[in-house]
Amino acid sequence: MPSDALTHVLEFPGGYTRSVGPVIGRFLSELRDGRLVGVRTRDGKVLVPPTEYDPATGEAVTGEFVEVGPAGTVQTWSWVGRPLSGHPLDRPFAWALVRPDGADTALLHALDLGVFEEGAKPPRFLKTGLRVRPKWRAERTGAIGDIECFLPEVTMINAPARVEYRLRAGRAQERFLEGIAEGRILGHRCGVCGQVIVPMKGMCSKDGVPTTEEVELPDTGTVTTFAVNNLPDPRAPEVPFVSAYVLLDGAGMPMLALVAGIPADQVRMGMRVKAAWRPREEWEASMANIKWFEPLDEPDVPFEQIKDHV
């Protein structure tokens, strides 16, 4: 027998009309007005969606309606990575059992977690216990579809902020910046420990003595330690980027700088680097003259030689 002979279609051209009764009717009427209600059972539980009888005991409910939510908690969920034509959303979403605040049961509805490519895996923040709120349709008719979907509660915002401040350089810092404006990196040598301090501070933090002897350092050095950053920074070339402590050749302590010109996951302790200067016409009395440090084609420095600077 041909397979199409087994096809059977049942259609209601005018739709299917039924009476909902006073309990479900009250629930749907409240939905039309943008509210969620449940009904209280004889033992005090609140059922959402409401039913005429307590599913646990079979007893008739009390008829006392209780407004719940609108916020609620996800009890369990199922991810839909490839929505079908009849689904409420045309992009990946989750079916979730949501228990509104004040209710003892949960209702099933769609949970919109944002825009994802078809076939995407569920996001990491989708989990039992997620707090959600209903997204109401602008025009409501008294049906469960009056809630377009549920959305996660707002837990984080990105508030643009900018703080601008000016520092007045002291004598040592001013001299250091004068050197940077000339393409030179200047440090101070401590008369007690002999270490070269860069950027110069006018004193040795180790021995607590003033420093005045200037030493010009090369713009090459060694990465002693570093961090991979995943938040944008206007000074960085891309995300992720690396901020590192670079021990300049001849210096006694490392200085903080960006490292670029190499993938972030290839930066390593002991890597040899060189300053990448901006074009000469852009120089001013600012550390911004050095964009970042880039790798040198030199062997890494053994850890034993930099361990005291980590």
Side-chain angles (χ1 to χ4, degrees):
M1 180 180 296
S3 59
D4 57 359
L6 300 177
T7 301
H8 178 69
V9 177
L10 181 63
E11 182 179 1
F12 295 91
Y16 181 72
T17 302
R18 56 159 289 191
S19 172
V20 294
V23 176
I24 298 298
R26 172 68 180 273
F27 174 70
L28 297 177
S29 297
E30 296 286 354
L31 284 179
R32 185 184 58 194
D33 294 337
R35 291 189 295 268
L36 274 173
V37 299
V39 68
R40 195 178 301 280
T41 65
R42 296 190 182 280
D43 61 2
K45 293 183 178 180
V46 177
L47 305 180
V48 178
T51 57
E52 289 88 350
Y53 298 92
D54 185 342
T57 64
E59 293 184 288
V61 295
T62 62
E64 177 188 352
F65 290 90
V66 180
E67 186 170 353
V68 297
T73 304
V74 172
Q75 304 298 293
T76 187
W77 52 271
S78 178
W79 181 249
V80 182
R82 299 183 185 277
L84 302 177
S85 58
H87 279 151
L89 296 172
D90 60 1
R91 58 180 182 270
F93 70 99
W95 288 114
L97 282 173
V98 177
R99 186 174 70 185
D101 295 346
D104 294 290
T105 57
L107 59 86
L108 178 67
H109 216 296
L111 177 58
D112 185 1
L113 297 163
V115 178
F116 298 90
E117 293 183 359
E118 184 175 355
K121 294 182 179 180
R124 288 182 295 177
F125 63 87
L126 172 57
K127 57 186 178 181
T128 297
L130 180 68
R131 294 286 295 168
V132 296
R133 287 178 176 268
K135 177 182 180 181
W136 298 95
R137 295 190 186 277
E139 296 184 5
R140 299 185 288 271
T141 61
I144 193 62
D146 289 347
I147 299 177
E148 184 175 337
C149 60
F150 278 81
L151 299 171
E153 285 193 331
V154 176
T155 59
M156 186 177 299
I157 63 171
N158 183 0
R162 182 175 182 269
V163 177
E164 182 175 332
Y165 57 91
R166 294 182 180 272
L167 296 177
R168 183 177 180 84
R171 285 193 298 268
Q173 188 179 41
E174 185 175 10
R175 176 62 182 141
F176 173 76
L177 293 176
E178 286 176 356
I180 291 293
E182 299 169 355
R184 305 162 62 209
I185 302 177
L186 301 178
H188 267 169
R189 189 187 306 278
C190 174
V192 176
C193 65
Q195 289 191 345
V196 176
I197 303 160
V198 60
M200 55 175 63
K201 298 179 174 62
M203 68 168 292
C204 176
S205 56
K206 177 182 178 182
D207 299 299
V209 297
T211 55
T212 57
E213 180 188 349
E214 287 189 6
V215 179
E216 183 172 347
L217 296 170
D219 62 357
T220 56
T222 303
V223 173
T224 60
T225 186
F226 64 92
V228 177
N229 304 274
N230 291 289
L231 295 178
D233 188 303
R235 300 168 298 175
E238 58 185 1
V239 175
F241 68 93
V242 174
S243 54
Y245 278 98
V246 175
L247 182 65
L248 295 179
D249 296 339
M253 60 179 58
M255 60 184 290
L256 184 63
L258 297 179
V259 173
I262 185 173
D265 61 359
Q266 294 183 23
V267 176
R268 55 199 179 274
M269 298 170 67
M271 186 175 73
R272 296 284 294 157
V273 292
K274 179 179 176 61
W277 294 82
R278 296 187 184 278
R280 179 66 182 84
E281 60 272 15
E282 297 180 12
W283 286 1
E284 55 185 8
S286 169
M287 277 301 293
N289 293 357
I290 298 177
K291 295 186 295 183
W292 47 69
F293 281 77
E294 297 178 338
L296 280 172
D297 186 17
E298 296 180 4
D300 289 358
V301 172
F303 178 75
E304 288 298 318
Q305 296 183 24
I306 60 172
K307 65 179 182 180
D308 294 335
H309 301 285
V310 174

